Amino acid sequence: KAGVTQTPRYLIKTRGQQVTLSCSPISGHRSVSWYQQTPGQGLQFLFEYFSETQRNKGNFPGRFSGRQFSNSRSEMNVSTLELGDSALYLCASSRDRGEKLFFGSGTQLSVL
Amino acid sequence: AQRVTQPEKLLSVFKGAPVELKCNYSYSGSPELFWYVQYSRQRLQLLLRHISRESIKGFTADLNKGETSFHLKKPFAQEEDSAMYYCALRTGGGADGLTFGKGTHLIIQP
């Protein structure tokens, strides 16, 4: 089985731009979660999608949003980028809510 | 709000020595506790979860509700155990996202 696939691997943007990151979960997995990883704050939960609905959201501003499609693939969007949004964004999928998470390799976002 | 604390950023032990990675949490209810590991150039992966009460790669962890701790232990460290280890907590019966500690970098010296 292919693992969780995140694209792109690297992204460079400038302040004020917006960005969309993509995540393809493991086949058969219906839950997708997103995490932000920074040296200062560590790993922080962004949100979780299940059956195309956001089920849970972490403590991030409204500039961070996401969605899930009928094939369980997910995208997250960050609008009006700030320097502090520079981070590794990790996607994780699980067969069902609360089950074992499988992480992707992440998308490294740099905001200049 | 819940919190996970891993007091050691870096832990260095010799091969064959016992290893203990500390994890303390704060949460008033009954959380689920996990240990995740990230080996060099690999993805973050689940090592073990407290409800399974299993031993993976020789590692065990016991949930101590009185001390709100979930320390990871291994009696004899091996060089391949060198990695970043993250303790994580989940509330809401599995409905909530994971709260991670900042991680401990474990180095096993030959």
Side-chain angles (χ1 to χ4, degrees), chain A residues 13-21 47 61-66 76-83 85 89 109 111:
Chain A
K13 292 286 187 179
T14 55
R15 276 182 302 173
Q17 287 187 311
Q18 76 162 19
V19 68
T20 300
L21 312 182
F47 27 65
R63 299 185 297 106
F64 291 81
S65 63
M76 69 163 278
N77 185 76
V78 188
S79 62
T80 320
L81 284 166
E82 300 177 1
L83 295 179
D85 297 332
Y89 290 88
L109 172 64
V111 182

Side-chain angles (χ1 to χ4, degrees), chain A residues 9-104:
Chain A
R9 284 286 282 124
Y10 303 94
L11 209 46
I12 299 175
K13 292 286 187 179
T14 55
R15 276 182 302 173
Q17 287 187 311
Q18 76 162 19
V19 68
T20 300
L21 312 182
S22 180
C23 172
S24 293
I26 292 172
S27 177
H29 284 197
R30 298 186 297 164
S31 174
V32 174
S33 302
W34 289 88
Y35 290 82
Q36 182 197 63
Q37 186 174 26
T38 59
Q41 299 299 317
L43 280 152
Q44 294 183 283
F45 172 70
L46 279 156
F47 27 65
E48 180 205 0
Y49 285 86
F50 181 82
S51 293
E52 302 177 63
T53 303
Q54 186 180 91
R55 301 293 177 153
N56 216 333
K57 191 177 195 307
N59 190 24
F60 278 83
R63 299 185 297 106
F64 291 81
S65 63
R67 58 178 175 167
Q68 186 180 35
F69 302 95
S70 58
N71 61 358
S72 295
R73 191 176 72 83
S74 177
E75 289 180 346
M76 69 163 278
N77 185 76
V78 188
S79 62
T80 320
L81 284 166
E82 300 177 1
L83 295 179
D85 297 332
S86 294
L88 180 67
Y89 290 88
L90 291 171
C91 169
S93 74
S94 60
R95 187 165 25 206
D96 208 336
R97 301 194 70 205
E99 294 200 8
K100 179 180 175 180
L101 290 180
F102 292 82
F103 281 84

Side-chain angles (χ1 to χ4, degrees), chain B residues 36-53:
Chain B
Y36 280 81
V37 61
Q38 188 166 26
Y39 301 102
S40 178
R41 288 185 288 278
Q42 292 189 28
R43 303 174 182 204
L44 190 62
Q45 57 184 287
L46 178 66
L47 181 62
L48 52 80
R49 54 198 298 186
H50 89 271
I51 59 173
S52 302
R53 299 190 64 81

Side-chain angles (χ1 to χ4, degrees), chain B residues 7 18-19 22-23 28 32 35 41 58 78 83 86 92-93 103 110:
Chain B
V19 173
K22 290 184 168 48
C23 172
S28 56
E32 280 187 84
W35 277 100
R41 288 185 288 278
Q78 299 173 297
Y86 296 92

